[in-house]
Amino acid sequence: MIEAGHWLAAGEVHTAGGRIAVHTQHPEGAEAAIDAGADSIEHGMLLPERLLDRMAAQGTALVPAMTVIAHAEAARQVDPPTAFSKFIVEGVHRHPAIVRAAAEAGVLILAGTDSADHHGDVANEVALLAAAGVRIEDALGAASWNARRFLGRPGIEEGAPADLTVYECDPRSDSAVLADPARVVLKGRILR
């Protein structure tokens, strides 16, 4: 159960214009974060499906960090299995279905890798989101226009910064091209 102080802290952060991101891989942690008014849940492994409609209604985004969760598969190698390794294996197994259910419930899905080993591997994150059953347009949006909007940044519109990546083919047909953009434009300057 969430304590009143958490609601107060969340209210103060929001009043000051801040956002609250909660990293949780446990069902009770996710529920407490949603109860407190978190703006996003990072990981959300074993997120109870009964919370998805609430997340969508209150605008709590899910950043599933599929890349780092997929690499937690090594927990299967723990011999003998521990309670923690069993918990991780169950989470890894269920995570794609939870992410798909969240997207279907209207929860905003955002891309993030949350790992120094996979920093900047957003292309792989998009591919994993799509493989989990997130519509490719939403998986691409999770790494671009939806992420910008969530962060309060303008999208592709008059007067917005010219931040673009250009690809040889449409990433909706082949998301593998995301790893190798033909052009990168940042603040109107061609970097590649």
Side-chain angles (χ1 to χ4, degrees):
M1 190 64 162
I2 193 75
E3 296 178 22
H6 294 109
W7 279 103
L8 280 170
E12 291 296 319
V13 168
H14 289 142
T15 298
R19 293 196 172 224
I20 300 170
V22 176
H23 284 245
T24 181
Q25 295 183 6
H26 201 277
E28 286 80 10
E31 185 160 17
I34 294 162
D35 285 349
D39 297 291
S40 66
I41 302 292
E42 276 60 32
H43 301 297
M45 193 172 79
L46 297 174
L47 177 69
E49 287 193 37
R50 64 181 168 75
L51 298 175
L52 299 179
D53 288 337
R54 271 185 55 209
M55 287 179 70
Q58 71 187 41
T60 303
L62 175 62
V63 185
M66 302 287 290
T67 302
V68 74
I69 298 291
H71 284 82
E73 185 70 27
R76 287 189 193 282
Q77 306 307 316
V78 175
D79 189 24
T82 63
F84 182 70
S85 70
K86 290 177 185 176
F87 170 79
I88 295 296
V89 168
E90 178 188 358
V92 169
H93 175 72
R94 290 191 47 220
H95 202 56
I98 291 168
V99 172
R100 180 177 52 256
E104 289 170 355
V107 173
L108 176 64
I109 306 294
L110 299 173
T113 59
D114 191 35
S115 169
D117 294 338
H118 307 289
H119 178 71
D121 196 8
V122 175
N124 186 54
E125 186 72 12
V126 170
L128 288 169
L129 289 171
V134 174
R135 289 176 346 116
I136 188 63
E137 291 82 1
D138 295 332
L140 290 166
S144 55
W145 54 84
N146 289 339
R148 287 183 67 85
R149 191 175 310 119
F150 180 79
L151 295 171
R153 306 291 300 156
I156 299 174
E157 56 194 59
E158 183 73 33
D163 297 342
L164 305 166
T165 51
V166 180
Y167 302 96
E168 292 292 334
C169 69
D170 187 341
R172 293 174 298 179
S173 345
D174 179 11
S175 66
V177 301
L178 294 174
D180 188 29
R183 275 289 169 259
V184 176
V185 179
L186 184 62
K187 296 181 181 178
R189 205 170 119 223
I190 297 173
L191 301 180
R192 178 177 178 183

